[in-house]
Amino acid sequence: PYIENFDPTYSFNSDRSHEVARLLAAESIVPMKLGDYATIEPGMRVLVMGPAADDTGVLCGGWTYGWEGCADSDLGYRCVPEGVTILEGLQAAAEEIGFEVVTDPDMAESCDLVVICIGEYPYAEWNGDTASLSITEGSQVLDGNAEAIRDAEDLDRPIVTLVVAGRNMIVEDYIDEWDSCYFCYLPGSEGGNGIADILVGNVPMTGTLPMPYYTSEDDIGTDNFLHDVAWSAAN
């Protein structure tokens, strides 16, 4: 009875719904660190790597087509068929503004920038409980996070890191090695396009933190944090 008079402004899976989802994804992304290589410019060659780079399920988290959510890497197929991965979003943006996306690490020497995509496996409720919020050590972190971070550092190129997770993850041990870092939370099925929109400057960086971003679990609830609540690029 509560939806008898409900008149949505657009239909599920319509072009308009994808447009709105894409914009909301972009506007929710929070820049944690902005260096000299905060955006992708025309003419660049960009190496994209990491376990969250080409996975629709990771972008959506739990409560999608199943209670726990899923990762494409676990199932062997796309968890969210209509979803757009980070890699796909950047490839589409590359065609639009004129840069090149590379996925072969052996070509790193010819690249101007490395984008690493890391995060957590989807979960819901208590199944996401973890003894560590480290981006490399928690029980829910993606296999390959630590490897991607290490391999990117070995490439000796500017690094932009994208963190995809449903909660603030501890990145203190690594962020000094990154030129820039964006916390993407769980941007949803249009997350790949939303992230690309931020990285190429199509959408202004307006996302803010919902809570302080701490440097360790021991600091939670104290005044020792990387950024205070409501931190944004405007700060």
Side-chain angles (χ1 to χ4, degrees), residues 167-211:
R167 54 191 162 195
N168 293 355
M169 304 296 294
I170 305 299
V171 296
E172 185 69 10
D173 291 340
Y174 311 103
I175 197 168
D176 287 345
E177 302 298 322
W178 303 335
D179 187 81
S180 298
C181 176
Y182 295 88
F183 203 92
C184 305
Y185 290 98
L186 298 173
S189 59
E190 282 291 330
N193 283 328
I195 290 170
D197 286 338
I198 287 292
L199 290 183
V200 302
N202 285 344
V203 176
M205 301 179 194
T206 58
T208 59
L209 290 176
M211 61 177 290

Side-chain angles (χ1 to χ4, degrees), residues 79-166:
C79 296
V80 185
E82 70 274 22
V84 179
T85 69
I86 297 172
L87 177 61
E88 291 169 339
L90 289 174
Q91 289 171 331
E95 293 184 7
E96 177 186 341
I97 73 168
F99 64 92
E100 183 178 356
V101 173
V102 174
T103 59
D104 184 355
D106 291 338
M107 299 178 65
E109 288 188 4
S110 65
C111 292
D112 304 290
L113 183 68
V114 176
V115 175
I116 56 175
C117 311
I118 54 180
E120 287 189 295
Y121 283 102
Y123 54 81
E125 298 180 352
W126 65 89
N127 288 294
D129 290 355
T130 178
S132 173
L133 289 175
S134 166
I135 193 60
T136 56
E137 298 175 2
S139 60
Q140 294 297 132
V141 299
L142 293 173
D143 290 338
N145 279 0
E147 181 182 2
I149 292 171
R150 182 179 63 251
D151 289 349
E153 291 176 357
D154 290 343
L155 295 175
D156 194 29
R157 289 290 183 273
I159 299 170
V160 172
T161 298
L162 307 173
V163 182
V164 180

